[in-house]
């Protein structure tokens, strides 16, 4: 009788646990849906503001200025990623992610990192006139622009400002509480927009773009401390917290170093191979193509990483279920847009920009091919959620070598056009490597891969219809 009672009690307990687990899954799904809504809305709105800003500024400034700013942003991102020790994913993934001691130690490291970024760039900028004078770069290349050194030094002070960002930004992402974070970033962008356009209209100078970068950083940093809930950051140095950050961040550092080359080497290479105007056309086309990549990256890093990490803390199978539930709509959406942009790239440039920028149309069409691989950002997030940043580091290293090898080879034999195709298709090899790594971890579903590919020709076909429709007017 006792055994029957125990069985009944055990069955009842098991049933209650099952109900509780289902409710937890439902709650997590609800938070993900809300977070995705805010992130998607925020990113789309942000990209609309960026596009409007670009449309206005391209009418106030000349293409060479955008080429120069492309170098500035590439150098900033390159140095920042080289000094990346994985603070953000470490806080999101760590069980100590809500500990004030842990957060304040990370904040202190972040401030030091911001100053180091600026010092590195300032030293590089001060050496540029000597490098040009010695003929180490072509006198007609974008690197030889006379205003570049001071633009680099002043614009890169944004790294110092950003170093003071409150860790409440990361805490909001960890908890998928993104409404206020969206409002903070939107406010910074709107303030920057009005200042940039006003100064650009008044001066027609590249300094309008520089001041816009600084204003954005300053506004977001100030609001992160005043408008977001959470701890009040203060300087702190806890060795136990630092060891945990370094342990997790060592692989992130290696991954970031490889990721730098994979994502920034194209602009740095082209800056020495083409003139400022051509680099400006490339920058404009790349910025349009990157709207999709930025939306995906923001959703993956801001929502999906936290969701997958939370699911993995329950079980690996729970994470796999969450991974595939996120993957199929992401794949379909990205492939659909990639097909449409490949069909309509030149038409989009014709519609958005004046005649001076038409050369960007064919560049955008070629770069649309790289969007096919953007969807695999979710796979690297799964590696991070499993506590395996080493896998992401390996993929990024292969991506780095693939880009360098393909870019140099293609440019040597086929010039600028060959370089564009190398940039667009360099992710083929890293993607194959990911399939191999995914095999033992249950992250492959080749039936899904085959089915979602249908979205690309559908997008391409609708793009052709769009072209024909526009041609009627």
């Amino acid at each position: 009788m006792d055994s029957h009672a125990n069985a009944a009690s055990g069955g009842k307990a098991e049933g209650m646990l099952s109900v509780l687990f289902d409710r937890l899954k439902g709650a997590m799904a609800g938070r993900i849906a809300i977070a995705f809504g805010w992130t998607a809305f925020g990113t789309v709105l942000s990209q609309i503001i960026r596009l409007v800003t670009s449309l206005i500024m391209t009418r106030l400034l000349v293409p060479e200025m955008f080429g120069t700013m492309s170098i500035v942003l590439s150098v900033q991102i390159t140095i920042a990623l080289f000094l990346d020790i994985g603070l953000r994913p470490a806080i999101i993934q760590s069980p100590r992610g809500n500990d004030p001691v842990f957060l304040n130690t990370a904040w202190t490291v972040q401030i030091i990192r911001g100053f180091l970024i600026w010092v590195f760039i300032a030293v590089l900028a001060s050496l540029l006139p000597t490098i040009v004078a010695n003929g180490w770069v072509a006198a007609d290349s974008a690197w030889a622009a006379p205003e570049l050194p001071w633009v680099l030094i002043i614009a890169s002070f944004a790294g110092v400002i950003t170093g003071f960002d409150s860790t409440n930004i990361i805490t909001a992402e960890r908890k998928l509480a993104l409404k206020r974070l969206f409002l903070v970033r939107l406010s910074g962008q709107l303030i920057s927009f009005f200042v940039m356009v006003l100064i650009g209209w008044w001066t027609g100078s590249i300094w309008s773009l520089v001041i816009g970068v600084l204003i954005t950083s300053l506004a977001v940093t100030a609001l992160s401390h005043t408008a977001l809930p959470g701890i009040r950051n203060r300087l702190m140095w806890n060795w136990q917290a630092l060891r945990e950050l370094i342990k997790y961040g060592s692989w992130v550092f290696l991954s970031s170093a490889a990721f730098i080359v994979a994502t920034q080497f194209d602009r740095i290479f082209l800056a020495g191979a083409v003139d400022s105007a051509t680099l400006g056309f490339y920058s404009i086309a790349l910025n349009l193509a990157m709207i999709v990549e930025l939306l995906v990256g923001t959703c993956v890093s801001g929502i999906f990483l936290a969701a997958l990490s939370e699911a993995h803390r329950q079980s690996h199978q729970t994470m796999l279920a969450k991974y595939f539930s996120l993957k199929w709509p992401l794949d379909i959406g990205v492939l659909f847009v990639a097909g449409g942009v490949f069909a309509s790239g030149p038409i989009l440039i014709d519609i958005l920009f004046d005649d001076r920028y038409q050369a960007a149309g064919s560049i955008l069409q070629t770069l649309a091919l790289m969007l096919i691989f953007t969807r695999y950002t979710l796979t690297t997030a799964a590696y991070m959620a499993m506590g395996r940043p080493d896998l992401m580091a390996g993929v990024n290293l292969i991506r780095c070598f693939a880009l360098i090898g393909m870019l140099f080879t293609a440019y040597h034999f086929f010039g600028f056009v060959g370089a564009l195709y190398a940039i667009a298709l360099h992710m083929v090899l890293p993607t194959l490597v990911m399939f191999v790594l995914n095999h033992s971890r249950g992250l492959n579903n080749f039936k899904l891969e085959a089915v979602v590919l249908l979205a690309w020709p559908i997008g391409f076909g609708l793009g052709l219809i769009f072209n024909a429709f526009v041609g009627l007017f």
Side-chain angles (χ1 to χ4, degrees), residues 8 38 72 179 216 218 223 249 272 283 296 303-304 316 326 338-339 349 405 454 463 465:
W38 278 112
V72 172
K179 180 180 178 179
T216 299
L218 188 61
L223 290 170
S283 176
V296 172
I303 304 173
F304 298 165
H316 184 69
L326 296 171
I349 295 294
L454 294 173
I465 294 173

Side-chain angles (χ1 to χ4, degrees), residues 231-245:
I231 69 168
R232 185 178 296 276
N233 285 122
R234 60 188 180 90
L235 297 176
M236 184 173 291
W237 198 260
N238 180 272
W239 287 105
Q240 183 179 356
L242 185 63
R243 280 193 294 271
E244 181 177 339
L245 289 168

